[in-house]
Amino acid sequence: MINDTVLIIGANGQLGSVLSKELQKIHGKDNVIASDVYSSSTFDGVFEIIDATDIKAIENIVNKYAVNQIYHLAAILSAKGEKNPLRTWDLNMKMMLNVFEVSRTSNVKKVFFPSSIAVFGDKAPLENTPQSAFLNPATVYGMSKAAGENWAQYYFNKYGLDVRSIRYPGIIGYQSMPGGGTTDYAVDIYHSAVKQEKYSCFLNPETKLPMIFMDDAIRSTIELMQAPKKNIKTRTSYNLGSMSFSPIEIASEIQKLCPNFKVEYNVDFRQEIADKWPKSINDDEARKDWNWKPKYDLKLMTVLMLEKLEEKYNTTTLK
Ligand code: AKB
């Protein structure tokens, strides 16, 4: 067991709720402080309510538990963010800077800050998008992540704060639901299949996007955070590749196991966001610096998603 006290901000979210449990296994149940702006009825462990826009609230918890690592996962995502651009910028930036400032002025030694494929825009190559491609994000969420990456690098260069970051693709897991993203369809579609409902997809059938299975996303985060400091050469954020597919490809993979499953396409404003994002990611730097290697592909993920969701909904849809 590693003797650190870890604070997770945004622990009720899609990634946070799964990561909190994994971190408990590594650091011990009492050394993981899960927090969110709302309480959790399901988390088994230490939980605190924190509004991360309030720097004092973060500081109090960091001091109370002598926290020395923070995973800052709270943010308004791409699609939801476009409904209220100024509020999204304000919240995402304020929370992130509060976390960096509290870390700089306290005993926090390491910070995890998630970035996203949303940092890329139409000036980056759509296929095999390189680590150092030009960043011209088209959403406020993407703008806040691109700015956050630069702030992460600034805090490292200027204050020596060990901030580490990954540009996540869309994350797909059976344990939790995403909220407000453009890649959310790739989780929702599995729930519809298992509930034997027709799925209405908000992206067009050919829209290919980079995605990752939850287990790989969690493992990548932990591997990055555990890598020796000298290996971390990218101090903005690492590209992370895993799989890429379109709605029609995921639907046909599901149909191999649920032959009656049907999808209709009702494209909305999220299409415009997806069209500017990479279709596939070059993650050579992550592979080289901290040995990143994904384990799951679309086929394996689909089998697991359907099996686990069948258990959850207590249904039998699989062939
Ligand atoms: C979103 O769709 O906004 C997120 C992301 C790719 O960062 N899932």
Side-chain angles (χ1 to χ4, degrees):
M1 209 168 286
I2 300 174
N3 230 352
D4 280 311
T5 304
V6 176
L7 171 64
I8 301 141
I9 296 176
N12 291 348
Q14 186 200 11
L15 181 66
S17 55
V18 187
L19 185 63
S20 307
K21 292 190 191 133
E22 284 308 307
L23 291 175
Q24 283 182 330
K25 291 181 197 158
I26 297 171
H27 298 283
K29 206 168 165 183
D30 293 341
N31 295 324
V32 172
I33 323 303
S35 79
D36 210 302
V37 71
Y38 303 112
S39 64
S40 164
S41 54
T42 52
F43 185 68
D44 179 17
V46 187
F47 192 95
E48 293 277 354
I49 294 185
I50 298 181
D51 173 356
T53 62
D54 175 2
I55 193 163
K56 283 271 163 247
I58 305 175
E59 214 163 55
N60 288 342
I61 299 301
V62 164
N63 291 336
K64 178 173 170 189
Y65 294 97
V67 167
N68 55 7
Q69 278 192 33
I70 301 183
Y71 290 73
H72 170 52
L73 307 177
I76 300 181
L77 299 188
S78 58
K80 189 170 175 205
E82 292 309 285
K83 306 263 186 217
N84 197 338
L86 294 185
R87 182 165 177 272
T88 301
W89 176 260
D90 200 35
L91 274 178
N92 287 359
M93 295 306 289
K94 195 171 267 166
M95 293 191 292
M96 184 253 321
L97 288 172
N98 283 348
V99 169
F100 289 173
E101 263 311 276
V102 170
S103 303
R104 178 181 76 80
T105 55
S106 69
N107 262 339
V108 174
K109 300 280 176 272
K110 243 189 225 180
V111 177
F112 180 76
F113 167 71
S115 186
S116 160
I117 53 164
V119 295
F120 297 111
D122 60 7
K123 294 248 183 321
L126 284 180
E127 290 285 359
N128 201 28
T129 309
Q131 175 70 46
S132 56
F134 187 80
L135 305 185
N136 64 324
T139 59
V140 180
Y141 168 67
M143 285 158 56
S144 72
K145 289 297 182 189
E149 290 187 2
N150 287 314
W151 276 108
Q153 181 169 253
Y154 183 87
Y155 270 79
F156 175 72
N157 287 339
K158 191 152 174 134
Y159 307 117
L161 182 65
D162 189 358
V163 188
R164 303 182 182 195
S165 176
I166 283 172
R167 289 173 178 155
Y168 288 121
I171 300 175
I172 301 164
Y174 52 83
Q175 303 94 325
S176 53
M177 295 303 284
T182 305
T183 57
D184 293 9
Y185 93 85
V187 179
D188 299 341
I189 195 168
Y190 286 112
H191 286 258
S192 291
V194 170
K195 290 194 277 181
Q196 300 179 23
E197 290 166 358
K198 187 186 215 177
Y199 181 62
S200 168
C201 185
F202 56 77
L203 296 182
N204 77 40
E206 317 294 342
T207 312
K208 191 171 127 187
L209 288 171
M211 302 280 183
I212 189 167
F213 187 48
M214 179 66 83
D215 292 36
D216 270 345
I218 297 284
R219 188 170 52 81
S220 70
T221 309
I222 290 169
E223 285 177 2
L224 171 67
M225 287 299 269
Q226 289 183 346
K229 196 171 171 185
K230 64 175 174 25
N231 292 16
I232 309 303
K233 307 276 192 268
T234 294
R235 285 295 177 173
T236 48
S237 187
Y238 279 99
N239 275 11
L240 190 82
S242 177
M243 59 183 99
S244 285
F245 56 78
S246 61
I248 201 156
E249 286 168 330
I250 189 174
S252 77
E253 206 54 51
I254 293 172
Q255 280 154 351
K256 287 181 192 161
L257 299 165
C258 310
N260 296 328
F261 179 54
K262 300 227 167 6
V263 180
E264 63 182 15
Y265 293 90
N266 294 303
V267 170
D268 69 17
F269 72 100
R270 288 169 278 195
Q271 184 65 46
E272 210 179 313
I273 299 176
D275 285 341
K276 297 203 175 77
W277 284 0
K279 296 181 189 303
S280 60
I281 293 290
N282 180 308
D283 61 1
D284 287 353
E285 312 288 318
R287 287 173 188 257
K288 182 163 53 84
D289 291 357
W290 43 278
N291 297 322
W292 166 242
K293 200 168 184 287
K295 286 194 181 148
Y296 293 88
D297 60 12
L298 175 59
K299 191 174 172 178
L300 183 54
M301 177 175 80
T302 300
V303 172
L304 285 168
M305 284 296 288
L306 293 174
E307 274 176 14
K308 293 289 184 185
L309 290 176
E310 269 204 340
E311 278 168 35
K312 177 185 158 80
Y313 289 113
N314 205 8
T315 53
T316 42
T317 36
L318 296 182
K319 202 167 65 158

